[in-house]
Amino acid sequence: MQVFYGFGYHAFGDESGHDIGGWAIENGDILYRDYIDAHGPLVFFATWLLGKVVGYHYAFLFRLNALFITLISAAGLYFVSSAASWRERLLSPALFLGLLGPVWIVQALNMNGYWIFGGNLTVLACSLLVVPALLDKPVQKWAAAGGGAALVLLPFVAYSFLPVTALFTLSLLVVLCRRTAKLNRKDALYSLLGAAGALGIFLLWVLLYADLKGFIVYHFINNQFYYAHYIPFGFAAVFKSLRPSLLPANLVQTLAVCSLLLGSLILLVRTRYKIAGLIAIVGLLSLDARGGTTFQNGTFVVAALGFVAQMVPYWLNESRYKLSTVSALMVACSLLVGLHAVSTPFGEDYVQRKQAGFHPFKKSDNLIDQKIREYAHPDERILVIPYNPNVYIEADRLPIKKYHAYLPWEADYAKSPVAGYERDICVDLPKNPRQSFILITGPYGGSGSRKTSWAVLSSFCRRSIRCCPVSLTFMCGRTA
């Protein structure tokens, strides 16, 4: 039910940026050169790939990515289980999905976002490779290859996931160095082959459809040295987020922290490799680098819930009754959290989420979108100021190159850019006076709301960033 309603829940700007990116790449744009975004390339790869099947007029279908990657993680939990019967093997993935379900919409896990990819790739790395190695369980060849692939792809979801890849790898190396460990060189070889295969395929796509240096500039440099100043980022924020809280906005984070704590205790009791286990746990904690409670922390939430869903059956595998009882209690706790938590990024409680209705995000036929399509031909592009990427989807028009969004930290970067990767909207727009596009101004709409009127104008002045009135080629009436 949560997955179904998740397809019709609110659209959000960060997610729309991924959808538009896949669409732009399909139309010949090069990622991080013609279509510039601060997020990692893997979500754009997945969107572009799914777009080959579902097209780009029904953007809500891109939320299938969240469903697919979550089901793949659940399948991994099933196939690596050492339970005797298929019914017992189902318990771990059922617990995982049962814990995720109540917070699926609350924590924006239903969206086509990088956070759901990061969380599920972490679950796959844990279930297929890291946890079996720490518990001296046999690692199957396909599982070793799949775990290696998941580890190597994590930094391409977001550079901030590089620490979990490094720490998981270090944990595996510590186990491998123990002569009595069941993890052997052959397992390591298959892990390396899986990692090399996934890396090779993905880098081939990046070389064809993206600018590799642009990826470093706009994803790493822009985020780490400019955007980081605008958000809570660091050890203080992490420690603050680890404190349990019953505030509605903090309930999902508290559920994740408690799940990680329970899973970690089970792991440390059961493993012979305490140091390696601690390293792996620190890797999971590194996913909480934002130290927040909003949708960006979805990676930490998914990873923590997947981790505990794998560890609880290892703890209570000798008593089916205790295992079923504890699992039911955990799902009940998640259900209570889902009922009382407020959603991110929309801040809606349970009643408001029900009242929101079911509205799949797609091409729109409201008046403003009809007017945009009337003034801008299908092969012409538009610019939306302030930030609201949802308009591009609803109007069925691509953004002008380089600027589907332009936010304060990007203006900061423009003051001292990397050579060859200059990006300043106040400089670039006057360079193309003959380029036809509509400039739409309106309320900030990261969540997609349009509570006030919009207008099509011939100039703009973004005072909150930098004041730069620009004369544009005007191709339509004054207002729409």
Side-chain angles (χ1 to χ4, degrees), residues 25 95 183 208 287 354 356 365 367 371 457:
I25 293 168
L95 178 57
L183 185 72
L208 291 174
L287 296 172
K354 288 187 67 176
D365 287 322
L367 179 60
K371 286 296 182 182
L457 307 175

Side-chain angles (χ1 to χ4, degrees), residues 56-60 359-365 390 393-395:
Y56 294 93
H57 294 301
Y58 302 94
F60 71 94
H359 305 286
F361 185 46
K362 58 182 179 178
K363 176 182 174 181
S364 170
D365 287 322
N390 297 348
I393 298 290
E394 292 168 326

Side-chain angles (χ1 to χ4, degrees), residues 230-246:
Y230 288 80
I231 59 172
F233 186 79
F235 292 111
V238 172
F239 291 142
K240 182 179 178 180
S241 73
L242 295 178
R243 292 183 297 189
S245 171
L246 296 181

Side-chain angles (χ1 to χ4, degrees), residues 415-434:
K415 297 176 183 177
S416 54
V418 175
Y421 292 85
E422 295 81 6
R423 183 171 181 253
D424 188 334
I425 196 169
C426 302
V427 172
D428 289 341
L429 289 186
K431 289 181 179 178
N432 298 286
R434 296 183 180 181

Side-chain angles (χ1 to χ4, degrees), residues 35-333:
Y35 186 84
I36 296 174
D37 195 278
H39 295 164
L42 193 138
V43 66
F44 294 103
F45 166 72
T47 304
W48 169 82
L49 199 61
L50 184 58
K52 296 284 187 181
V53 179
V54 303
Y56 294 93
H57 294 301
Y58 302 94
F60 71 94
L61 291 177
F62 288 116
R63 293 184 173 182
L64 287 168
N65 274 332
L67 175 61
F68 291 156
I69 189 66
T70 302
L71 290 178
I72 290 171
S73 294
L77 289 169
Y78 174 83
F79 285 110
V80 298
S81 173
S82 57
S85 68
W86 66 271
R87 290 182 179 178
E88 293 174 338
R89 286 197 295 272
L90 273 176
L91 188 56
S92 186
L95 178 57
F96 174 53
L97 298 177
L99 291 171
L100 275 185
V103 299
W104 183 255
I105 293 175
V106 174
Q107 202 69 10
L109 304 178
N110 61 307
M111 294 184 182
N112 180 33
Y114 68 86
W115 49 93
I116 190 70
F117 281 93
N120 279 295
L121 284 175
T122 306
V123 172
L124 283 169
C126 271
S127 62
L128 299 181
L129 185 57
V130 178
V131 170
L134 290 171
L135 297 180
D136 269 338
K137 302 293 182 182
V139 178
Q140 301 181 50
K141 296 177 182 178
W142 66 268
L151 280 176
V152 81
L153 289 177
L154 269 168
F156 293 100
V157 178
Y159 79 91
S160 57
F161 301 153
L162 181 59
V164 72
T165 294
L167 290 167
F168 276 7
T169 303
L170 178 60
S171 176
L172 291 168
L173 288 173
V174 171
V175 175
L176 189 62
C177 290
R178 295 286 294 271
R179 294 182 180 180
T180 57
K182 288 190 177 180
L183 185 72
N184 54 49
R185 292 181 180 179
K186 186 176 291 186
D187 298 327
L189 176 61
Y190 282 110
S191 298
L192 289 173
L193 288 174
L199 183 62
I201 293 171
F202 188 71
L203 282 181
L204 178 62
W205 182 86
V206 169
L207 290 173
L208 291 174
Y209 296 100
D211 184 319
L212 191 56
K213 185 177 178 181
F215 159 58
I216 297 171
V217 170
Y218 296 118
H219 178 55
F220 174 68
I221 294 177
N222 199 12
N223 276 301
Q224 184 65 32
F225 298 103
Y226 298 96
Y227 178 53
H229 300 300
Y230 288 80
I231 59 172
F233 186 79
F235 292 111
V238 172
F239 291 142
K240 182 179 178 180
S241 73
L242 295 178
R243 292 183 297 189
S245 171
L246 296 181
L247 292 174
N250 299 350
L251 282 174
V252 177
Q253 173 72 0
T254 299
L255 175 68
V257 171
C258 293
S259 298
L260 179 62
L261 179 61
L262 177 58
S264 300
L265 289 174
I266 298 171
L267 178 63
L268 292 176
V269 169
R270 288 301 184 101
T271 184
R272 294 192 297 128
Y273 316 107
K274 308 299 183 185
I275 294 177
L278 283 171
I279 293 171
I281 292 166
V282 173
L284 289 170
L285 275 172
S286 71
L287 296 172
D288 195 33
R290 289 288 292 268
T293 58
T294 58
F295 67 94
Q296 293 101 331
N297 224 30
T299 295
F300 175 69
V301 172
V302 174
L305 298 183
F307 179 55
V308 77
Q310 185 178 11
M311 297 311 304
V312 166
Y314 280 122
W315 172 36
L316 299 172
N317 60 349
E318 296 178 359
S319 174
R320 183 182 300 179
Y321 173 76
K322 290 181 180 179
L323 180 55
S324 300
T325 302
V326 170
S327 299
L329 288 173
M330 292 175 65
V331 172
C333 289

